[in-house]
Amino acid sequence: MDKTYPHMQVAYDPQHKAAWVAMAAQPVPCFTQTLLHSLLAYFSDVRAEIDSGGREYRYIVGTSGVPGVYNLGGDLRLFAQAIVRRDRDTLMAYAADCIKVLYEVMTHLDRELTTINLVEGDALGGGFEGALAGNVLIAEKGARMGLPEVLFNLFPGMGAYSMLSRKAGGSVAEKMMMGGEIYTAEQLYEMGVVDILAEKGEGRQEVLRYIERAEKSPNSYRAMRRVKDYCNPVSYQELLDITTIWVDAALNLTERDLQVMSHLLHKQGNKFAG
């Protein structure tokens, strides 16, 4: 499989049977509709290749092709335009694509493989949710993650509570969602949210070290992944119901809330202009 996918770059490592998927959305490294559709298409292609006896996939590693950023989250421009138009259908379709991607990653494509997310820079809002979805979360020291949606009177509605409450408890999840604080990878590792903490600049080597450890005891690692799937299940319906609450909440935002969102969008645009 040697296709190209808009807003992302894919490379296959035959030695480790690992695919490296680097998000590179334009003009801002967020979850554009194009990126979401590319991810869904890629996951479908991987499943088809596995089922047809093509390349073997044991790991899919999610990372970024944009230096200093993992993913900045939801497409704020799309949000603001849809809210102003009272366009519930657009918001719901976008949210549904987001949780489809998350669910695919969380359930490792319903195949015998492991999803690993590597955070080397900022993972904010939906970007943090995306990072949390992997079976294993590896982050470099100094990387920043958080859920700032409360700043414009919204909440992270694409899986944040479902994933954080299972990893760190409901009170921690609520504190992170309602506080709007940005955390370092070091803090999140101490909280049990980040699974493996890498030295700055060594995240990719840490991914390979994890894969090499797993390949030495593959039966144990596969069994543990199944145990975690069994003990901490997140259903697609749960994600869909919560994101429906998010859509309804988004449509309740005031003009002032949208001004704050517009300010954040402007800051993003300035940072990545040119």
Side-chain angles (χ1 to χ4, degrees):
M1 179 175 60
D2 293 305
K3 293 183 179 180
T4 58
Y5 300 87
H7 286 199
M8 60 188 246
Q9 303 148 2
V10 179
Y12 180 75
D13 171 5
Q15 178 183 351
H16 298 97
K17 306 294 189 296
W20 291 75
V21 179
M23 297 179 288
Q26 299 291 334
V28 173
C30 66
F31 279 117
T32 62
Q33 288 177 302
T34 298
L35 175 58
L36 292 170
H37 294 164
S38 286
L39 286 164
L40 290 171
Y42 176 68
F43 294 154
S44 179
D45 289 342
V46 169
R47 269 197 305 273
E49 192 164 17
I50 292 171
D51 294 347
S52 66
R55 282 178 181 164
E56 183 179 358
Y57 291 84
R58 294 182 188 171
Y59 304 92
I60 294 180
V61 185
T63 184
S64 172
V66 181
V69 177
Y70 178 76
N71 188 286
L72 298 181
D75 188 336
L76 297 184
R77 187 179 304 278
L78 180 147
F79 294 173
Q81 291 174 347
I83 291 167
V84 169
R85 296 196 308 266
R86 312 300 298 167
D87 185 353
R88 190 178 192 280
D89 289 344
T90 291
L91 286 175
M92 194 68 231
Y94 177 87
D97 283 341
C98 287
I99 62 169
K100 286 174 187 173
V101 168
L102 290 179
Y103 190 69
E104 291 272 40
V105 177
M106 293 164 67
T107 58
H108 38 90
L109 281 59
D110 195 30
R111 295 298 185 272
E112 194 63 70
L113 57 83
T114 298
T115 55
I116 302 170
N117 283 331
L118 169 61
V119 177
E120 301 166 282
D122 290 353
L124 305 178
F128 186 29
E129 289 173 305
L132 288 166
N135 304 146
V136 180
L137 174 53
I138 299 175
E140 288 188 358
K141 290 182 178 179
R144 303 188 313 151
M145 288 166 268
L147 301 164
E149 287 86 345
V150 71
L151 299 179
F152 48 86
N153 200 23
L154 200 53
F155 79 101
M158 283 74 165
Y161 189 83
S162 297
M163 293 181 287
L164 281 171
S165 62
R166 284 162 171 81
K167 289 199 83 167
S171 61
V172 170
E174 185 171 351
K175 177 184 177 182
M176 293 182 70
M177 292 170 64
M178 300 308 293
E181 183 179 346
I182 306 301
Y183 297 82
T184 64
E186 293 92 323
Q187 290 174 304
L188 293 172
Y189 178 71
E190 291 298 323
M191 294 162 64
V193 175
V194 167
D195 298 307
I196 298 172
L197 187 64
E199 294 295 328
K200 190 170 181 61
E202 295 186 10
R204 292 168 189 263
Q205 294 94 317
E206 198 62 57
V207 170
L208 295 179
R209 283 193 281 268
Y210 171 83
I211 290 175
E212 288 163 2
R213 289 196 301 272
E215 290 303 303
K216 287 179 180 178
S217 306
N219 189 54
S220 297
Y221 275 77
R222 282 197 299 268
M224 181 54 65
R225 190 188 61 230
R226 291 173 183 169
V227 168
K228 291 167 74 175
D229 287 347
Y230 182 82
C231 291
N232 298 304
V234 179
S235 70
Y236 179 79
Q237 190 62 49
E238 175 181 330
L239 296 174
L240 182 61
D241 289 346
I242 291 172
T243 207
T244 301
I245 296 171
W246 176 87
V247 169
D248 292 337
L251 290 171
N252 283 332
L253 294 184
T254 66
E255 184 175 344
R256 179 184 178 281
D257 300 329
L258 290 174
Q259 287 174 352
V260 176
M261 185 187 293
S262 178
H263 177 67
L264 293 175
L265 179 61
H266 183 68
K267 285 179 63 178
Q268 287 182 355
N270 286 342
K271 182 175 181 180
F272 294 98

